[in-house]
Amino acid sequence: MSDDAPLKTLTLPFTRGELAWPAGGKVACLRARAGLLLPDGVSAQDIVAEQSYLPHVHALRRGGWQVDGQGAELGGTFDLVLVLPPRQKEEARATFARAVALCAPGGRVVACQHNDEGARSGEADLKALAGLGGSLTKNHCRVFWTAPLHGQHDAALAARWAAADAPRAIAGGRFISRPGVFAWDRIDPASALLVEHLPGKLAGVGADLGAGWGYLSAEVLSRCEKVTRIDLYEAEGRALALARTNLAGFGERAGFHWADVSAGLDGKYDFIVSNPPFHTTNRTGRPELGQSFIKAAADGLRQGGRLLLVANRHLPYEEVLGASFCQIDVLAERDGFKLISAIKAGR
């Protein structure tokens, strides 16, 4: 990822000689991404990576990393814990707390953030939690680290930050969610628009592409009695774990796939609903992500199957829809969103 500046900067203290890599020690990287610049003599196999976003997991494994994924959290202790903090503040603070807890006696936490993604705030948070040993700036990023830790962190603050990231009830107690997943504390207005116009005649087996914590699928199963099953496809393991809980009451009517939709679907479907992503994890605009969802839907639908797609009004989806679908209609528009219905064309 050539445009991922934090990856270029995270190991700067080691390449500049400010810090020494723990020779023979255990090293972990939280929210790891492929492309990290490693010091001479260090390989990806020397680091245990934690990552729950499947495209990153695939890239890491191709690079030889040991990866824990789908929301699994590392155990044990480490001599060095590298951190690429997420953007969402509560999740980032909980990640710092976990990093400190993972440090063996004498271990150190080293973190890096882009200046436009909360670097100063992140540095202040780590300082409040465990104190700072130093910091450097480069590539419009700030890399900062603790002194060797021997339990001298604020345990009460760490406990509060960990609790702030825990799953909790939202939407009047109907669902649970947690910081860091998409629209974690509310019903996303685009998804709400789709639900308001759900055709009551939806039937058979469907799929929800980019299902998040499960709102769309739950509404489909609640409102459409003739739907026998809906398969949820979601690349973020933290979100999929929430969806499993939120749809537990539907039993076998709900299926769950930790999957990269752009790589294709596992079955053939009578209908598909989707509120696809249109940016990467670092918020870079990527309309081709939504376009890849449309192509996957076209491949995954049976002839005559229906796609219900909600998206920002400005996104350029009509051309890719026209390649595989007929009867393309805008069912509703509101607050900058559009709801599109498209029928998969026959041969």
PDB file of all heavy atoms in Angstrom, residues 34-62:
ATOM      1  N   ALA A  34      -0.486  -5.034   5.581  1.00  0.00           N
ATOM      2  CA  ALA A  34       0.657  -5.456   4.782  1.00  0.00           C
ATOM      3  C   ALA A  34       1.416  -4.237   4.265  1.00  0.00           C
ATOM      4  O   ALA A  34       0.824  -3.193   3.980  1.00  0.00           O
ATOM      5  CB  ALA A  34       0.195  -6.324   3.614  1.00  0.00           C
ATOM      6  N   GLY A  35       2.718  -4.375   4.137  1.00  0.00           N
ATOM      7  CA  GLY A  35       3.542  -3.304   3.607  1.00  0.00           C
ATOM      8  C   GLY A  35       4.376  -2.593   4.640  1.00  0.00           C
ATOM      9  O   GLY A  35       5.069  -1.624   4.325  1.00  0.00           O
ATOM     10  N   LEU A  36       4.351  -3.052   5.887  1.00  0.00           N
ATOM     11  CA  LEU A  36       5.144  -2.431   6.937  1.00  0.00           C
ATOM     12  C   LEU A  36       6.631  -2.507   6.598  1.00  0.00           C
ATOM     13  O   LEU A  36       7.135  -3.556   6.198  1.00  0.00           O
ATOM     14  CB  LEU A  36       4.883  -3.142   8.265  1.00  0.00           C
ATOM     15  CG  LEU A  36       5.548  -2.578   9.522  1.00  0.00           C
ATOM     16  CD1 LEU A  36       4.977  -1.210   9.851  1.00  0.00           C
ATOM     17  CD2 LEU A  36       5.339  -3.528  10.694  1.00  0.00           C
ATOM     18  N   LEU A  37       7.320  -1.394   6.735  1.00  0.00           N
ATOM     19  CA  LEU A  37       8.765  -1.362   6.489  1.00  0.00           C
ATOM     20  C   LEU A  37       9.471  -1.927   7.712  1.00  0.00           C
ATOM     21  O   LEU A  37       9.419  -1.349   8.793  1.00  0.00           O
ATOM     22  CB  LEU A  37       9.221   0.075   6.218  1.00  0.00           C
ATOM     23  CG  LEU A  37       8.657   0.755   4.964  1.00  0.00           C
ATOM     24  CD1 LEU A  37       9.196   2.172   4.833  1.00  0.00           C
ATOM     25  CD2 LEU A  37       9.003  -0.053   3.709  1.00  0.00           C
ATOM     26  N   LEU A  38      10.126  -3.070   7.540  1.00  0.00           N
ATOM     27  CA  LEU A  38      10.772  -3.744   8.660  1.00  0.00           C
ATOM     28  C   LEU A  38      12.266  -3.456   8.676  1.00  0.00           C
ATOM     29  O   LEU A  38      12.892  -3.318   7.625  1.00  0.00           O
ATOM     30  CB  LEU A  38      10.534  -5.255   8.566  1.00  0.00           C
ATOM     31  CG  LEU A  38       9.075  -5.688   8.658  1.00  0.00           C
ATOM     32  CD1 LEU A  38       8.949  -7.182   8.433  1.00  0.00           C
ATOM     33  CD2 LEU A  38       8.482  -5.298  10.002  1.00  0.00           C
ATOM     34  N   PRO A  39      12.863  -3.380   9.868  1.00  0.00           N
ATOM     35  CA  PRO A  39      14.309  -3.157   9.959  1.00  0.00           C
ATOM     36  C   PRO A  39      15.082  -4.317   9.330  1.00  0.00           C
ATOM     37  O   PRO A  39      14.568  -5.431   9.161  1.00  0.00           O
ATOM     38  CB  PRO A  39      14.559  -3.083  11.474  1.00  0.00           C
ATOM     39  CG  PRO A  39      13.224  -2.787  12.078  1.00  0.00           C
ATOM     40  CD  PRO A  39      12.213  -3.420  11.180  1.00  0.00           C
ATOM     41  N   ASP A  40      16.325  -4.064   8.977  1.00  0.00           N
ATOM     42  CA  ASP A  40      17.169  -5.109   8.411  1.00  0.00           C
ATOM     43  C   ASP A  40      17.244  -6.298   9.361  1.00  0.00           C
ATOM     44  O   ASP A  40      17.391  -6.134  10.581  1.00  0.00           O
ATOM     45  CB  ASP A  40      18.585  -4.565   8.151  1.00  0.00           C
ATOM     46  CG  ASP A  40      18.622  -3.538   7.035  1.00  0.00           C
ATOM     47  OD1 ASP A  40      17.669  -3.519   6.229  1.00  0.00           O
ATOM     48  OD2 ASP A  40      19.601  -2.753   6.982  1.00  0.00           O
ATOM     49  N   GLY A  41      17.140  -7.474   8.795  1.00  0.00           N
ATOM     50  CA  GLY A  41      17.241  -8.685   9.588  1.00  0.00           C
ATOM     51  C   GLY A  41      15.942  -9.131  10.220  1.00  0.00           C
ATOM     52  O   GLY A  41      15.906 -10.185  10.867  1.00  0.00           O
ATOM     53  N   VAL A  42      14.854  -8.353  10.060  1.00  0.00           N
ATOM     54  CA  VAL A  42      13.546  -8.701  10.624  1.00  0.00           C
ATOM     55  C   VAL A  42      12.615  -9.082   9.479  1.00  0.00           C
ATOM     56  O   VAL A  42      12.571  -8.405   8.450  1.00  0.00           O
ATOM     57  CB  VAL A  42      12.946  -7.531  11.427  1.00  0.00           C
ATOM     58  CG1 VAL A  42      11.567  -7.891  11.963  1.00  0.00           C
ATOM     59  CG2 VAL A  42      13.882  -7.130  12.556  1.00  0.00           C
ATOM     60  N   SER A  43      11.878 -10.166   9.633  1.00  0.00           N
ATOM     61  CA  SER A  43      10.930 -10.591   8.612  1.00  0.00           C
ATOM     62  C   SER A  43       9.521 -10.626   9.195  1.00  0.00           C
ATOM     63  O   SER A  43       9.335 -10.600  10.416  1.00  0.00           O
ATOM     64  CB  SER A  43      11.301 -11.979   8.073  1.00  0.00           C
ATOM     65  OG  SER A  43      11.092 -12.968   9.067  1.00  0.00           O
ATOM     66  N   ALA A  44       8.543 -10.702   8.300  1.00  0.00           N
ATOM     67  CA  ALA A  44       7.147 -10.748   8.736  1.00  0.00           C
ATOM     68  C   ALA A  44       6.882 -11.951   9.630  1.00  0.00           C
ATOM     69  O   ALA A  44       6.037 -11.888  10.529  1.00  0.00           O
ATOM     70  CB  ALA A  44       6.228 -10.781   7.515  1.00  0.00           C
ATOM     71  N   GLN A  45       7.613 -13.045   9.402  1.00  0.00           N
ATOM     72  CA  GLN A  45       7.407 -14.244  10.211  1.00  0.00           C
ATOM     73  C   GLN A  45       7.781 -14.034  11.669  1.00  0.00           C
ATOM     74  O   GLN A  45       7.410 -14.838  12.535  1.00  0.00           O
ATOM     75  CB  GLN A  45       8.220 -15.411   9.640  1.00  0.00           C
ATOM     76  CG  GLN A  45       7.711 -15.933   8.297  1.00  0.00           C
ATOM     77  CD  GLN A  45       8.264 -15.167   7.107  1.00  0.00           C
ATOM     78  OE1 GLN A  45       8.890 -14.130   7.285  1.00  0.00           O
ATOM     79  NE2 GLN A  45       8.030 -15.680   5.907  1.00  0.00           N
ATOM     80  N   ASP A  46       8.514 -12.955  11.960  1.00  0.00           N
ATOM     81  CA  ASP A  46       8.931 -12.668  13.332  1.00  0.00           C
ATOM     82  C   ASP A  46       7.864 -11.916  14.125  1.00  0.00           C
ATOM     83  O   ASP A  46       8.064 -11.634  15.313  1.00  0.00           O
ATOM     84  CB  ASP A  46      10.226 -11.841  13.333  1.00  0.00           C
ATOM     85  CG  ASP A  46      11.383 -12.565  12.665  1.00  0.00           C
ATOM     86  OD1 ASP A  46      11.463 -13.797  12.814  1.00  0.00           O
ATOM     87  OD2 ASP A  46      12.195 -11.904  11.990  1.00  0.00           O
ATOM     88  N   ILE A  47       6.759 -11.566  13.486  1.00  0.00           N
ATOM     89  CA  ILE A  47       5.740 -10.727  14.116  1.00  0.00           C
ATOM     90  C   ILE A  47       4.388 -11.428  14.042  1.00  0.00           C
ATOM     91  O   ILE A  47       4.020 -11.989  13.010  1.00  0.00           O
ATOM     92  CB  ILE A  47       5.641  -9.351  13.419  1.00  0.00           C
ATOM     93  CG1 ILE A  47       7.018  -8.693  13.325  1.00  0.00           C
ATOM     94  CG2 ILE A  47       4.659  -8.440  14.152  1.00  0.00           C
ATOM     95  CD1 ILE A  47       7.028  -7.427  12.506  1.00  0.00           C
ATOM     96  N   VAL A  48       3.648 -11.392  15.144  1.00  0.00           N
ATOM     97  CA  VAL A  48       2.275 -11.893  15.159  1.00  0.00           C
ATOM     98  C   VAL A  48       1.340 -10.703  14.911  1.00  0.00           C
ATOM     99  O   VAL A  48       1.401  -9.706  15.636  1.00  0.00           O
ATOM    100  CB  VAL A  48       1.937 -12.569  16.497  1.00  0.00           C
ATOM    101  CG1 VAL A  48       0.497 -13.069  16.492  1.00  0.00           C
ATOM    102  CG2 VAL A  48       2.890 -13.726  16.767  1.00  0.00           C
ATOM    103  N   ALA A  49       0.506 -10.822  13.894  1.00  0.00           N
ATOM    104  CA  ALA A  49      -0.374  -9.720  13.520  1.00  0.00           C
ATOM    105  C   ALA A  49      -1.797  -9.985  13.985  1.00  0.00           C
ATOM    106  O   ALA A  49      -2.273 -11.117  13.948  1.00  0.00           O
ATOM    107  CB  ALA A  49      -0.362  -9.525  12.008  1.00  0.00           C
ATOM    108  N   GLU A  50      -2.460  -8.925  14.412  1.00  0.00           N
ATOM    109  CA  GLU A  50      -3.890  -8.995  14.761  1.00  0.00           C
ATOM    110  C   GLU A  50      -4.641  -8.078  13.813  1.00  0.00           C
ATOM    111  O   GLU A  50      -4.345  -6.886  13.711  1.00  0.00           O
ATOM    112  CB  GLU A  50      -4.100  -8.564  16.210  1.00  0.00           C
ATOM    113  CG  GLU A  50      -5.562  -8.620  16.650  1.00  0.00           C
ATOM    114  CD  GLU A  50      -5.737  -8.127  18.072  1.00  0.00           C
ATOM    115  OE1 GLU A  50      -5.356  -8.862  18.990  1.00  0.00           O
ATOM    116  OE2 GLU A  50      -6.237  -7.000  18.253  1.00  0.00           O
ATOM    117  N   GLN A  51      -5.616  -8.643  13.103  1.00  0.00           N
ATOM    118  CA  GLN A  51      -6.382  -7.877  12.123  1.00  0.00           C
ATOM    119  C   GLN A  51      -7.700  -8.604  11.881  1.00  0.00           C
ATOM    120  O   GLN A  51      -7.742  -9.827  11.752  1.00  0.00           O
ATOM    121  CB  GLN A  51      -5.610  -7.753  10.811  1.00  0.00           C
ATOM    122  CG  GLN A  51      -6.327  -7.054   9.692  1.00  0.00           C
ATOM    123  CD  GLN A  51      -6.774  -5.651  10.030  1.00  0.00           C
ATOM    124  OE1 GLN A  51      -7.951  -5.419  10.317  1.00  0.00           O
ATOM    125  NE2 GLN A  51      -5.853  -4.708  10.036  1.00  0.00           N
ATOM    126  N   SER A  52      -8.802  -7.855  11.843  1.00  0.00           N
ATOM    127  CA  SER A  52     -10.113  -8.466  11.655  1.00  0.00           C
ATOM    128  C   SER A  52     -10.762  -8.091  10.329  1.00  0.00           C
ATOM    129  O   SER A  52     -11.853  -8.575  10.027  1.00  0.00           O
ATOM    130  CB  SER A  52     -11.047  -8.064  12.805  1.00  0.00           C
ATOM    131  OG  SER A  52     -11.142  -6.653  12.899  1.00  0.00           O
ATOM    132  N   TYR A  53     -10.089  -7.251   9.517  1.00  0.00           N
ATOM    133  CA  TYR A  53     -10.628  -6.853   8.217  1.00  0.00           C
ATOM    134  C   TYR A  53     -10.042  -7.778   7.159  1.00  0.00           C
ATOM    135  O   TYR A  53      -8.836  -7.791   6.924  1.00  0.00           O
ATOM    136  CB  TYR A  53     -10.298  -5.391   7.934  1.00  0.00           C
ATOM    137  CG  TYR A  53     -10.856  -4.866   6.632  1.00  0.00           C
ATOM    138  CD1 TYR A  53     -12.228  -4.828   6.416  1.00  0.00           C
ATOM    139  CD2 TYR A  53     -10.008  -4.394   5.639  1.00  0.00           C
ATOM    140  CE1 TYR A  53     -12.746  -4.338   5.228  1.00  0.00           C
ATOM    141  CE2 TYR A  53     -10.512  -3.904   4.447  1.00  0.00           C
ATOM    142  CZ  TYR A  53     -11.883  -3.876   4.249  1.00  0.00           C
ATOM    143  OH  TYR A  53     -12.392  -3.401   3.068  1.00  0.00           O
ATOM    144  N   LEU A  54     -10.891  -8.596   6.534  1.00  0.00           N
ATOM    145  CA  LEU A  54     -10.420  -9.721   5.737  1.00  0.00           C
ATOM    146  C   LEU A  54      -9.494  -9.351   4.579  1.00  0.00           C
ATOM    147  O   LEU A  54      -8.493 -10.057   4.356  1.00  0.00           O
ATOM    148  CB  LEU A  54     -11.615 -10.529   5.228  1.00  0.00           C
ATOM    149  CG  LEU A  54     -11.273 -11.863   4.568  1.00  0.00           C
ATOM    150  CD1 LEU A  54     -10.507 -12.771   5.528  1.00  0.00           C
ATOM    151  CD2 LEU A  54     -12.523 -12.564   4.066  1.00  0.00           C
ATOM    152  N   PRO A  55      -9.745  -8.305   3.789  1.00  0.00           N
ATOM    153  CA  PRO A  55      -8.785  -7.981   2.737  1.00  0.00           C
ATOM    154  C   PRO A  55      -7.375  -7.734   3.275  1.00  0.00           C
ATOM    155  O   PRO A  55      -6.386  -8.119   2.650  1.00  0.00           O
ATOM    156  CB  PRO A  55      -9.374  -6.713   2.100  1.00  0.00           C
ATOM    157  CG  PRO A  55     -10.850  -6.861   2.322  1.00  0.00           C
ATOM    158  CD  PRO A  55     -10.976  -7.478   3.684  1.00  0.00           C
ATOM    159  N   HIS A  56      -7.271  -7.097   4.446  1.00  0.00           N
ATOM    160  CA  HIS A  56      -5.950  -6.917   5.063  1.00  0.00           C
ATOM    161  C   HIS A  56      -5.373  -8.259   5.501  1.00  0.00           C
ATOM    162  O   HIS A  56      -4.163  -8.500   5.375  1.00  0.00           O
ATOM    163  CB  HIS A  56      -6.044  -5.977   6.262  1.00  0.00           C
ATOM    164  CG  HIS A  56      -6.276  -4.541   5.903  1.00  0.00           C
ATOM    165  ND1 HIS A  56      -5.872  -3.986   4.713  1.00  0.00           N
ATOM    166  CD2 HIS A  56      -6.859  -3.522   6.599  1.00  0.00           C
ATOM    167  CE1 HIS A  56      -6.215  -2.707   4.680  1.00  0.00           C
ATOM    168  NE2 HIS A  56      -6.809  -2.411   5.810  1.00  0.00           N
ATOM    169  N   VAL A  57      -6.224  -9.138   6.029  1.00  0.00           N
ATOM    170  CA  VAL A  57      -5.760 -10.457   6.451  1.00  0.00           C
ATOM    171  C   VAL A  57      -5.176 -11.214   5.269  1.00  0.00           C
ATOM    172  O   VAL A  57      -4.092 -11.811   5.351  1.00  0.00           O
ATOM    173  CB  VAL A  57      -6.906 -11.257   7.106  1.00  0.00           C
ATOM    174  CG1 VAL A  57      -6.484 -12.698   7.358  1.00  0.00           C
ATOM    175  CG2 VAL A  57      -7.329 -10.602   8.414  1.00  0.00           C
ATOM    176  N   HIS A  58      -5.875 -11.201   4.140  1.00  0.00           N
ATOM    177  CA  HIS A  58      -5.368 -11.890   2.959  1.00  0.00           C
ATOM    178  C   HIS A  58      -4.017 -11.329   2.531  1.00  0.00           C
ATOM    179  O   HIS A  58      -3.086 -12.075   2.205  1.00  0.00           O
ATOM    180  CB  HIS A  58      -6.371 -11.756   1.811  1.00  0.00           C
ATOM    181  CG  HIS A  58      -7.607 -12.591   1.954  1.00  0.00           C
ATOM    182  ND1 HIS A  58      -7.614 -13.815   2.591  1.00  0.00           N
ATOM    183  CD2 HIS A  58      -8.890 -12.384   1.536  1.00  0.00           C
ATOM    184  CE1 HIS A  58      -8.819 -14.328   2.557  1.00  0.00           C
ATOM    185  NE2 HIS A  58      -9.624 -13.477   1.938  1.00  0.00           N
ATOM    186  N   ALA A  59      -3.900  -9.987   2.520  1.00  0.00           N
ATOM    187  CA  ALA A  59      -2.646  -9.368   2.101  1.00  0.00           C
ATOM    188  C   ALA A  59      -1.511  -9.702   3.059  1.00  0.00           C
ATOM    189  O   ALA A  59      -0.373  -9.961   2.637  1.00  0.00           O
ATOM    190  CB  ALA A  59      -2.830  -7.847   2.000  1.00  0.00           C
ATOM    191  N   LEU A  60      -1.803  -9.716   4.343  1.00  0.00           N
ATOM    192  CA  LEU A  60      -0.785 -10.066   5.326  1.00  0.00           C
ATOM    193  C   LEU A  60      -0.319 -11.509   5.148  1.00  0.00           C
ATOM    194  O   LEU A  60       0.892 -11.787   5.160  1.00  0.00           O
ATOM    195  CB  LEU A  60      -1.335  -9.863   6.742  1.00  0.00           C
ATOM    196  CG  LEU A  60      -1.488  -8.411   7.211  1.00  0.00           C
ATOM    197  CD1 LEU A  60      -2.423  -8.344   8.404  1.00  0.00           C
ATOM    198  CD2 LEU A  60      -0.139  -7.803   7.563  1.00  0.00           C
ATOM    199  N   ARG A  61      -1.248 -12.410   4.978  1.00  0.00           N
ATOM    200  CA  ARG A  61      -0.870 -13.820   4.823  1.00  0.00           C
ATOM    201  C   ARG A  61      -0.058 -14.045   3.558  1.00  0.00           C
ATOM    202  O   ARG A  61       0.869 -14.860   3.544  1.00  0.00           O
ATOM    203  CB  ARG A  61      -2.120 -14.699   4.858  1.00  0.00           C
ATOM    204  CG  ARG A  61      -2.710 -14.801   6.271  1.00  0.00           C
ATOM    205  CD  ARG A  61      -4.002 -15.579   6.305  1.00  0.00           C
ATOM    206  NE  ARG A  61      -4.457 -15.744   7.688  1.00  0.00           N
ATOM    207  CZ  ARG A  61      -5.697 -16.050   8.037  1.00  0.00           C
ATOM    208  NH1 ARG A  61      -6.620 -16.244   7.109  1.00  0.00           N
ATOM    209  NH2 ARG A  61      -6.025 -16.179   9.319  1.00  0.00           N
ATOM    210  N   ARG A  62      -0.391 -13.322   2.490  1.00  0.00           N
ATOM    211  CA  ARG A  62       0.419 -13.430   1.269  1.00  0.00           C
ATOM    212  C   ARG A  62       1.845 -12.972   1.522  1.00  0.00           C
ATOM    213  O   ARG A  62       2.786 -13.440   0.880  1.00  0.00           O
ATOM    214  CB  ARG A  62      -0.210 -12.617   0.135  1.00  0.00           C
ATOM    215  CG  ARG A  62      -1.468 -13.239  -0.452  1.00  0.00           C
ATOM    216  CD  ARG A  62      -1.847 -12.567  -1.767  1.00  0.00           C
ATOM    217  NE  ARG A  62      -2.173 -11.154  -1.587  1.00  0.00           N
ATOM    218  CZ  ARG A  62      -3.391 -10.695  -1.363  1.00  0.00           C
ATOM    219  NH1 ARG A  62      -4.415 -11.543  -1.277  1.00  0.00           N
ATOM    220  NH2 ARG A  62      -3.614  -9.395  -1.236  1.00  0.00           N
TER     221      ARG A  62
END
